[in-house]
């Protein structure tokens, strides 16, 4: 698949805020025209770029990461939402430069290096030369951090931040258990909790034990050879379950202290909507969540929730500060030129690469 650099640009205009705004009219992008394997991804050389709304920013992409959500959507997850909107552009994370701003944006200037992430249901994603994000979905990239490293962080770290800081409201001295600390969300959660001053334990595969301990976890259990409920010591103020199986949910619930928070990434809203349609699936998922919340409140005295990534300017600002201070990092295992997006997705599907994959955009 060839991915030639191609975009059309109008002459620079002077906007109401008195700085120049280059308006890109069309650009190249990777699109998903139908659900399936990596082979369904198509590169289109001239896709229209919508006009910016007042609070939006046009970003010239330099690096975009491949998240599990991308491969799941490509395979059909969330079809109740995305199928009527096909073709869509995949991708959530981005690092690049400001190319244009909406008239209400005063916090960012043309040419500044930024990074950020779109919300999970965005249909015009970041696998493109020029992506559009709300101003609250972006923050300045630290000069010391490369575009590749910056693009690996925001979606995963914001997912962890929303669970631990927004929902559980962890603070210094709290105890935190991260189930699945080897993945991008789990590893981000470990680092966020350590930075706050929490005591952190985690479960992960053997190859991630050393990394988790180096990041500040006080206990790291290899779930492939140990029983989590027997190996983990004590109970926790906050449990973030990034795996979300019946076994990890049961164990996580039992390891949550009375009055604490159990949060799982594997909520069932999308899967039930896919199975029964939005009209029936969403009410069913709400009823199921309410049932579990009542069940675990009365049986264990804990707060149970499904957690998702949501754009949050405060969270993104904290992530930027930690990134700049060297206290937050998601290691990138391999990069691909965006021309090889199919190969990147195939490698993730076949588990040939376990760590983070980033697409470079030139």
């Amino acid at each position: 698949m060839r991915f030639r650099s191609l975009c059309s640009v109008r002459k620079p205009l002077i906007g109401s805020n008195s700085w120049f705004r280059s308006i890109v009219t069309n650009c190249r992008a990777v699109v998903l025209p139908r659900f399936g394997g990596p082979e369904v991804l198509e590169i289109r050389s001239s896709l229209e770029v919508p006009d910016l709304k007042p609070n939006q920013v046009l970003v010239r992409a330099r690096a975009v990461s491949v998240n599990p959500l991308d491969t799941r959507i490509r395979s059909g997850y969330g079809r109740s939402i995305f199928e009527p909107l096909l073709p869509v552009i995949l991708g959530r994370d981005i690092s690049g430069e400001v190319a244009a701003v909406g008239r209400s944006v005063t916090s960012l200037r043309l040419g500044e290096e930024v990074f950020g992430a779109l919300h999970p249901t965005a249909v015009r994603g970041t696998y493109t030369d020029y992506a559009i994000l709300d101003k609250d979905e972006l923050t300045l990239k630290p000069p010391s951090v490369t575009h590749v490293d910056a693009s690996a962080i925001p979606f995963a770290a914001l997912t962890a931040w929303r669970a631990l800081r927004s929902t559980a409201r962890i603070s210094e001295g709290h105890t935190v258990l991260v189930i699945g600390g080897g993945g991008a969300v789990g590893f981000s959660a470990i680092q966020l909790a350590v930075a706050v001053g929490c005591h952190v334990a985690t479960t992960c595969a053997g190859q991630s034990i050393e990394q988790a301990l180096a990041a500040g976890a006080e206990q790291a259990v290899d779930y492939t050879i140990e029983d989590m409920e027997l190996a983990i010591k004590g109970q926790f103020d906050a449990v973030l379950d990034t795996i979300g199986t019946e076994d990890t949910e049961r164990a996580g619930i039992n390891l949550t202290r009375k009055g604490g928070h159990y949060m799982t990434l594997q909520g069932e809203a999308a899967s039930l909507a896919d199975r029964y349609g939005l009209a029936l699936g969403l009410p069913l998922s709400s009823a199921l969540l309410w049932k579990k919340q009542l069940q675990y409140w009365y049986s264990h005295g804990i707060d149970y929730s499904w957690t998702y990534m949501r754009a949050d300017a405060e969270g993104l600002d904290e992530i930027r500060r930690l990134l700049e201070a060297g206290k937050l990092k998601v290691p990138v295992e391999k990069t691909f030129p965006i021309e090889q997006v199919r190969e990147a997705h195939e490698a993730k599907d076949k588990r040939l690469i376990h760590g983070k994959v980033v697409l470079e955009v030139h």
Side-chain angles (χ1 to χ4, degrees):
M1 288 181 8
R2 297 292 297 167
F3 199 66
R4 297 183 301 109
S5 178
L6 179 63
C7 65
S8 296
V9 184
R10 300 188 189 119
K11 290 181 179 180
L13 301 174
I14 297 181
S16 59
N17 290 334
S18 300
W19 63 81
F20 286 96
R21 303 158 187 257
S22 297
I23 308 301
V24 178
T25 59
N26 51 64
C27 67
R28 58 186 183 170
V30 179
V31 302
L32 177 72
R34 64 189 184 280
F35 300 118
E39 72 281 355
V40 303
L41 296 173
E42 295 180 2
I43 294 177
R44 297 188 183 176
S45 61
S46 186
L47 203 69
E48 183 180 0
V49 177
D51 291 336
L52 294 180
K53 295 177 181 177
N55 65 334
Q56 289 182 328
V57 179
L58 186 69
V59 179
R60 174 59 169 99
R62 296 302 177 186
V64 298
S65 77
V66 176
N67 283 296
L69 182 63
D70 300 338
T71 58
R72 293 180 70 191
I73 291 174
R74 191 209 68 226
S75 300
Y77 176 78
R79 68 172 58 244
S80 58
I81 298 170
F82 296 108
E83 192 164 33
L85 303 171
L86 292 175
V88 300
I89 302 174
L90 295 178
R92 297 295 174 265
D93 288 316
I94 190 169
S95 184
E97 299 108 25
V98 175
V101 295
R103 64 176 179 269
S104 297
V105 179
T106 59
S107 56
L108 296 172
R109 300 280 177 166
L110 296 184
E112 287 184 320
E113 294 188 330
V114 293
F115 73 109
L118 289 162
H119 58 85
T121 57
V123 297
R124 193 184 192 283
T126 58
Y127 287 13
T128 177
D129 267 347
Y130 288 90
I132 295 175
L133 295 88
D134 286 345
K135 61 183 177 61
D136 289 342
E137 296 174 327
L138 291 165
T139 190
L140 293 174
K141 180 184 75 66
S144 60
V145 179
T146 67
H147 284 300
V148 166
D149 286 339
S151 73
I153 288 171
F155 191 85
L158 280 169
T159 303
W161 190 92
R162 185 186 178 199
L164 297 180
R165 297 286 275 155
S166 182
T167 300
R169 300 190 180 279
I170 60 169
S171 59
E172 185 175 0
H174 280 169
T175 53
V176 175
L177 171 63
V178 179
I179 301 174
V185 175
F187 190 54
S188 297
I190 293 171
Q191 295 170 90
L192 288 171
V194 168
V196 172
C198 296
H199 304 285
V200 181
T202 188
T203 68
C204 51
Q207 67 266 25
S208 299
I209 295 287
E210 187 175 333
Q211 175 181 267
L213 293 173
E218 296 172 13
Q219 185 183 14
V221 171
D222 184 349
Y223 70 88
T224 66
I225 60 174
E226 294 187 79
D227 184 307
M228 177 172 64
E229 285 192 77
L230 297 177
I232 295 288
K233 301 179 179 69
Q235 288 191 308
F236 298 85
D237 298 301
V239 175
L240 175 58
D241 184 356
T242 72
I243 308 300
T245 64
E246 289 184 7
D247 288 341
T248 60
E249 180 168 308
R250 184 195 66 251
I253 292 292
N254 290 335
L255 288 167
T256 305
R257 175 177 290 128
K258 187 174 182 179
H261 294 263
Y262 168 88
M263 300 151 291
T264 177
L265 298 185
Q266 305 304 323
E268 299 186 51
S271 60
L272 287 172
D274 289 347
R275 188 182 310 167
Y276 300 109
L278 288 171
L280 183 58
L282 291 182
L284 282 174
S285 69
S286 296
L288 177 60
L289 175 59
W290 184 69
K291 175 179 176 292
K292 286 193 170 188
Q293 287 174 329
L294 285 178
Q295 173 188 342
Y296 292 128
W297 177 256
Y298 283 109
S299 65
H300 291 72
I302 66 172
D303 182 84
Y304 174 98
S305 60
W306 297 341
T307 189
Y308 308 93
M309 179 273 187
R310 179 179 292 171
D312 187 294
E314 180 186 355
L316 196 55
D317 188 53
E318 182 175 340
I319 288 164
R320 179 190 57 79
R321 292 196 303 270
L322 293 174
L323 177 61
E324 192 167 29
K327 296 181 179 181
L328 178 62
K329 182 177 177 63
V330 175
V332 176
E333 184 170 339
K334 186 172 177 61
T335 63
F336 290 82
I338 201 168
E339 298 94 328
Q340 296 177 13
V341 61
R342 290 179 176 175
E343 290 86 342
H345 271 238
E346 184 177 14
K348 293 303 291 184
D349 283 357
K350 294 182 176 179
R351 300 182 182 274
L352 301 176
I353 301 171
H354 296 283
K356 196 70 172 178
V357 168
V358 167
L359 304 173
E360 295 188 87
V361 186
H362 299 293

